[in-house]
Amino acid sequence: MCGIWALFGSDDCLSVQCLSAMKIAHRGPDAFRFENVNGYTNCCFGFHRLAVVDPLFGMQPIRVKKYPYLWLCYNGEIYNHKKMQQHFEFEYQTKVDGEIILHLYDKGGIEQTICMLDGVFAFVLLDTANKKVFLGRDTYGVRPLFKAMTEDGFLAVCSEAKGLVTLKHSATPFLKVEPFLPGHYEVLDLKPNGKVASVEMVKYHHCRDVPLHA
């Protein structure tokens, strides 16, 4: 199952904000991690792990040596990750199926990446080299993902709404928490102060259409 949680542009103490992530601890009883983003003191990833594959190197956020600028937190299962790996001759660093997201993104960008995934998933992908944040969810919304974002660029995402409702932000006393749309991905610009600005929300697949990976 696993639980993902991330903040961008927090104006409150991260050690206090991270307490909200513990509200989804039931999603990952085996391990948990909080990790700050290099160069952005107000950005953080949180992950609660249910260890199914690669108990040694399967912790998140997933980062591989080949792409030190990419950070990935995801929940789900990518059914065709081995097929994609063999087709493009990617060299994996872990046995985690979600690693394919990093390789596909580096090869062809976010649109090609998400259209090539056969599976159920929700993810947060950070590209510090190009100052971008990407959110994505599978066609039917099998894997949950919730989002809260303020007008001044504070962004919080989580597998469950309960991990967001107690967050604090000076400009907005009560955060509006909404489910992220199934079958969509969102592109956001990451600013030097750690806050974000939404660039576009894209519906990448309709359930009646033949998927690209087919």
Side-chain angles (χ1 to χ4, degrees), residues 21-35:
M22 299 310 295
K23 293 181 178 295
I24 63 164
H26 59 279
R27 297 186 65 88
D30 295 319
F32 71 91
R33 174 188 285 173
F34 295 111
E35 187 168 350

Side-chain angles (χ1 to χ4, degrees), residues 107-193:
K107 179 177 177 61
I110 190 62
E111 182 175 6
Q112 179 182 355
T113 298
I114 201 165
C115 290
M116 294 295 287
L117 300 179
D118 178 14
V120 291
F121 55 84
F123 68 79
V124 184
L125 175 63
L126 168 63
D127 179 348
T128 57
N130 293 295
K131 306 294 190 297
K132 297 289 184 183
V133 177
F134 304 97
L135 308 179
R137 195 175 179 199
D138 64 75
T139 299
Y140 296 99
V142 176
R143 289 295 189 262
L145 187 66
F146 290 83
K147 166 188 168 184
M149 186 172 175
T150 65
E151 292 184 355
D152 70 336
F154 169 64
L155 171 68
V157 294
C158 187
S159 293
E160 297 185 24
K162 66 176 68 175
L164 302 177
V165 293
T166 58
L167 290 172
K168 305 297 182 182
H169 188 65
S170 60
T172 309
F174 301 100
L175 293 176
K176 183 179 181 181
V177 179
E178 299 176 306
F180 190 81
L181 292 173
H184 286 70
Y185 70 83
E186 185 173 11
V187 182
L188 304 106
D189 284 332
L190 178 65
K191 300 179 180 179
N193 61 1

Side-chain angles (χ1 to χ4, degrees), residues 8-209:
F8 297 91
S10 175
D11 62 1
D12 203 350
C13 176
L14 279 181
S15 61
V16 175
Q17 298 278 56
C18 286
L19 293 176
S20 295
M22 299 310 295
K23 293 181 178 295
I24 63 164
H26 59 279
R27 297 186 65 88
D30 295 319
F32 71 91
R33 174 188 285 173
F34 295 111
E35 187 168 350
N36 287 84
V37 178
N38 299 339
Y40 297 91
T41 57
N42 57 356
C43 299
C44 179
F45 283 91
F47 183 68
H48 293 277
R49 187 183 185 200
L50 177 64
V52 178
V53 296
D54 201 345
L56 185 59
F57 299 109
M59 198 56 182
Q60 297 188 36
I62 300 175
R63 303 185 68 203
V64 298
K65 292 181 180 179
K66 190 175 182 179
Y67 315 120
Y69 46 87
L70 296 182
W71 305 59
L72 172 68
C73 259
Y74 97 106
N75 170 226
E77 186 176 358
I78 310 301
Y79 307 134
N80 65 340
H81 73 103
K82 289 186 178 179
K83 181 179 179 181
M84 291 291 101
Q85 178 189 12
Q86 294 168 359
H87 178 77
F88 292 110
E89 299 181 339
F90 293 140
E91 293 184 9
Y92 272 27
Q93 185 174 310
T94 73
K95 297 179 182 178
V96 178
D97 53 327
E99 185 179 334
I100 189 64
I101 296 174
L102 300 178
H103 294 281
L104 287 174
Y105 170 76
D106 185 76
K107 179 177 177 61
I110 190 62
E111 182 175 6
Q112 179 182 355
T113 298
I114 201 165
C115 290
M116 294 295 287
L117 300 179
D118 178 14
V120 291
F121 55 84
F123 68 79
V124 184
L125 175 63
L126 168 63
D127 179 348
T128 57
N130 293 295
K131 306 294 190 297
K132 297 289 184 183
V133 177
F134 304 97
L135 308 179
R137 195 175 179 199
D138 64 75
T139 299
Y140 296 99
V142 176
R143 289 295 189 262
L145 187 66
F146 290 83
K147 166 188 168 184
M149 186 172 175
T150 65
E151 292 184 355
D152 70 336
F154 169 64
L155 171 68
V157 294
C158 187
S159 293
E160 297 185 24
K162 66 176 68 175
L164 302 177
V165 293
T166 58
L167 290 172
K168 305 297 182 182
H169 188 65
S170 60
T172 309
F174 301 100
L175 293 176
K176 183 179 181 181
V177 179
E178 299 176 306
F180 190 81
L181 292 173
H184 286 70
Y185 70 83
E186 185 173 11
V187 182
L188 304 106
D189 284 332
L190 178 65
K191 300 179 180 179
N193 61 1
K195 296 183 183 295
V196 300
S198 183
V199 176
E200 60 177 343
M201 176 77 81
V202 179
K203 184 175 181 62
Y204 68 89
H205 182 236
H206 191 282
C207 60
R208 291 194 296 265
D209 299 332

